Amino acid sequence: QVQLVESGGGLVQAGGSLRISCAASGIIFSINAMGWYRQAPGKQREFVARIFSGGSTNYADSVKGRFAISRDNAKNMVYLQMNSLGPEDTAVYYCNIVGTHYWGQGTQVTVSS
């Protein structure tokens, strides 16, 4: 019954911004740490950001200062605001419940040069 559904991906111009979302169900959302990962073609899935139940955050060095993770416990939603995007950010972005094997289906983000 656990389900994570990402949305909001698409095509964006280099230097632009995009906000992607993850809707969670089947869990007590407010007590879970949530994370974003991404996978580019031919590469391993990599950590992007995570947010803990108390609001603390961690970011990969590659996105630090450009991306911001947030959550809305009332809506069971987690977001990733992505600014100053470059072609290197092109990937499928996945939502994850930290410490579990639960993942969403992913949403494609493509940044044109």
Side-chain angles (χ1 to χ4, degrees), residues 4-46:
L4 302 172
V5 180
E6 301 94 336
S7 63
L11 177 65
V12 64
Q13 188 178 56
S17 298
L18 199 65
R19 181 176 61 88
I20 56 176
S21 304
C22 173
S25 61
I27 62 170
I28 306 175
F29 181 81
S30 62
I31 68 172
N32 287 113
M34 303 295 296
W36 285 100
Y37 287 69
R38 67 186 182 185
Q39 187 168 20
K43 298 179 66 178
Q44 295 285 94
R45 187 173 298 185
E46 67 174 350

Side-chain angles (χ1 to χ4, degrees), residues 3 9 11 19 27 32 38 44-45 53 56-58 63 79 91 98 105 109:
Q3 187 170 259
L11 177 65
R19 181 176 61 88
I27 62 170
N32 287 113
R38 67 186 182 185
Q44 295 285 94
R45 187 173 298 185
S53 60
S56 297
T57 58
N58 291 328
V63 307
Y79 307 97
V98 173
Q105 84 291 339
V109 173

Side-chain angles (χ1 to χ4, degrees), residues 48-100:
V48 175
R50 66 171 62 92
I51 184 166
F52 297 95
S53 60
S56 297
T57 58
N58 291 328
Y59 296 94
D61 288 342
S62 59
V63 307
K64 200 169 298 179
R66 299 189 298 122
F67 290 11
I69 188 171
S70 62
R71 64 193 297 159
D72 186 339
N73 289 341
K75 297 180 178 180
N76 284 12
M77 298 285 288
V78 60
Y79 307 97
L80 186 68
Q81 177 68 46
M82 301 179 287
N83 300 322
S84 301
L85 286 163
E88 68 275 12
D89 297 311
T90 294
V92 177
Y93 284 72
Y94 296 92
C95 184
N96 174 60
I97 303 173
V98 173
T100 78

